[in-house]
Amino acid sequence: MPGRRACMDWLRLFFPQPVGITWHERVRMVLGTGLGIALVAVLAHQLETSLPTPWMVASIGASAVLVIAVPASPLAQPWAVLAGSAVSFLTGIACASWIGDVVLACGMAVGLAVAAMLALRCLHPPGGALALFAVLHPPEATLPAAGPLLLNVSVLVLAAIVYNHLTGRSYPHGQKAAAAAAPAGGSAFTSADVDAALAHYNDVLDISRADLEGLLHLAGRAAFQRTLGELRCSDIMSAPVHAVVPGTALADAWTLMRRQAVKALPVIGPRRDVVGIITVADFMRLANLDTHEGVGERLRKLILGRSRQPDQVASLMSIPAQQVQAGQPLMDLVPLFSEAGHHHFPVVDEQGQLAGIITQTDLVRALARAVAPR
């Protein structure tokens, strides 16, 4: 039944998801929170004064979990811990003093504390506990009590900075997105797209915008590499391929390129092995483009023959021609096209014979299919 299915789906929301961390990270969290609280307790107790104020507050335990267990969270950054605790405590004191009804004061204290933390960009969940403590324990929650409280919080933050640094965690953790370009290889979105998605989501995430964008890029790259990792050169190559032999006349090679609308011709030997490649760029270079004569006229003279000019493919082809194997992963070609400046790659089979050719157009078409939504 639809109603029962909906009820079961709702109940599944209460089932906890597995925590994807190693045992090493679990031990790091346990030791860090225990050591941090112990350090705060020792120093705070030694500096205890005769004021009727608590030398330690319970909300420090919740703050310790945040700054040690999730040091990358925006809720655990030093500004959030220090300012969020202070403004919440002061808000609770004010509500306890100005609102006579303790029930109403509890709600107002926590609500106004959250509003103040949002306004100051220092949202820190234990701040709600501090605001509530100030209302429920007015004799202990006074302005002089803010001193021991800030001491507790400051010692905890300092301990977190040292401990996270020693255990390989970044704290304070950068919360702004890097200005660098997105990582190459599969990130089909921009920073503006991330901003638009966050605005549409309209919820507070326990992860910084920079980390979220980085995770999305990594996920996109992994999916991109997984998709392309399954492709081989033989999957996207153009075949059959037009080719010439070293003794082919330049005029015939040029005519073949024009007729077939291709920009490169592999040059093959007697066993169909690739011995070179001739491209439109080779014809352009031989046509001496730095003169003022028209390009068409120079090509005409070149093809029809002119004294002291080569007349066969063997004299103009590029040697050696970089070639790829038919079974080679397509990902191997991405840096060759993007960084090495190549435009065409003859593809050979296991016997070393010409099997096809891959152009930039073939690669772009494969990339487009890889990133297209399914």
Side-chain angles (χ1 to χ4, degrees):
M1 297 176 61
R4 181 177 180 181
R5 186 180 302 110
C7 181
M8 293 301 297
D9 292 340
W10 181 76
L11 290 175
R12 289 191 187 97
L13 297 177
F14 292 87
F15 190 79
Q17 296 297 317
V19 181
I21 57 176
T22 63
W23 280 104
H24 178 272
E25 177 63 13
R26 293 171 188 259
V27 172
R28 190 197 73 84
M29 291 180 181
V30 172
L31 289 179
T33 52
L35 291 175
I37 291 298
L39 180 61
V40 172
V42 169
L43 294 180
H45 190 266
Q46 291 297 325
L47 296 176
E48 181 183 3
T49 66
S50 59
L51 293 175
T53 59
W55 57 272
M56 194 171 184
V57 288
S59 63
I60 292 295
S63 297
V65 174
L66 286 172
V67 298
I68 299 297
V70 285
S73 169
L75 308 179
Q77 299 313 299
W79 170 251
V81 179
L82 295 170
S85 299
V87 71
S88 298
F89 189 65
L90 295 176
T91 301
I93 294 175
C95 290
S97 302
W98 299 337
I99 302 177
D101 187 343
V102 66
V103 176
L104 180 60
C106 287
M108 291 294 293
V110 177
L112 291 177
V114 172
M117 288 189 288
L118 289 174
L120 297 174
R121 293 187 292 181
C122 59
L123 187 62
H124 186 58
L130 285 172
L132 192 60
F133 170 82
V135 173
L136 296 177
H137 302 274
E140 300 175 341
T142 60
L143 286 179
L149 169 67
L150 291 179
L151 173 65
N152 288 186
V153 175
S154 301
V155 171
L156 177 63
V157 169
L158 290 175
I161 292 174
V162 174
Y163 183 80
N164 283 313
H165 176 74
L166 293 177
T167 55
R169 293 292 180 269
S170 172
Y171 188 78
H173 189 78
Q175 301 294 301
K176 292 185 178 180
S187 296
F189 60 87
T190 65
S191 295
D193 297 328
V194 176
D195 292 333
L198 289 174
H200 178 76
Y201 190 71
N202 193 30
D203 203 348
V204 176
L205 298 178
D206 195 12
I207 183 174
S208 70
R209 184 202 175 285
D211 287 342
L212 175 61
E213 183 174 354
L215 286 173
L216 291 175
H217 280 305
L218 290 175
R221 175 183 292 184
F224 186 78
Q225 291 178 337
R226 172 179 49 79
T227 304
L228 288 188
E230 300 172 357
L231 293 177
R232 297 293 183 263
C233 292
S234 57
D235 296 326
I236 72 164
M237 69 181 184
S238 299
V241 59
H242 302 284
V244 294
V245 298
T248 302
L250 288 179
D252 294 338
W254 178 258
T255 300
L256 179 61
M257 294 173 71
R258 294 290 300 273
R259 185 172 63 248
Q260 301 298 332
V262 297
K263 296 182 179 180
L265 294 172
V267 184
I268 58 176
R271 297 185 300 276
R272 287 192 59 81
D273 55 316
V274 179
V275 297
I277 189 170
I278 185 169
T279 66
V280 171
D282 296 321
F283 282 98
M284 295 296 104
R285 184 174 60 256
L286 188 62
N288 193 15
L289 293 182
D290 57 348
T291 65
H292 296 288
E293 190 176 17
V295 175
E297 181 63 21
R298 291 195 296 274
L299 286 174
R300 187 185 67 80
K301 291 181 179 180
L302 169 64
I303 295 169
L304 295 180
R306 193 168 62 181
S307 60
R308 295 185 301 277
Q309 288 281 29
D311 58 356
Q312 291 185 343
V313 168
S315 304
L316 190 61
M317 66 181 184
S318 300
I319 304 175
Q322 185 165 356
Q323 52 194 271
V324 296
Q325 300 291 325
Q328 188 172 344
L330 184 61
M331 282 296 297
D332 293 350
L333 272 62
V334 174
L336 297 177
F337 275 114
S338 62
E339 300 173 8
H342 294 287
H343 302 281
H344 314 82
F345 286 103
V347 183
V348 298
D349 56 21
E350 295 180 355
Q351 289 74 37
Q353 296 181 339
L354 180 66
I357 190 171
I358 293 179
T359 67
Q360 286 182 325
T361 301
D362 297 323
L363 180 63
V364 170
R365 187 181 298 115
L367 298 181
R369 288 196 299 266
V371 301
R374 289 175 171 81

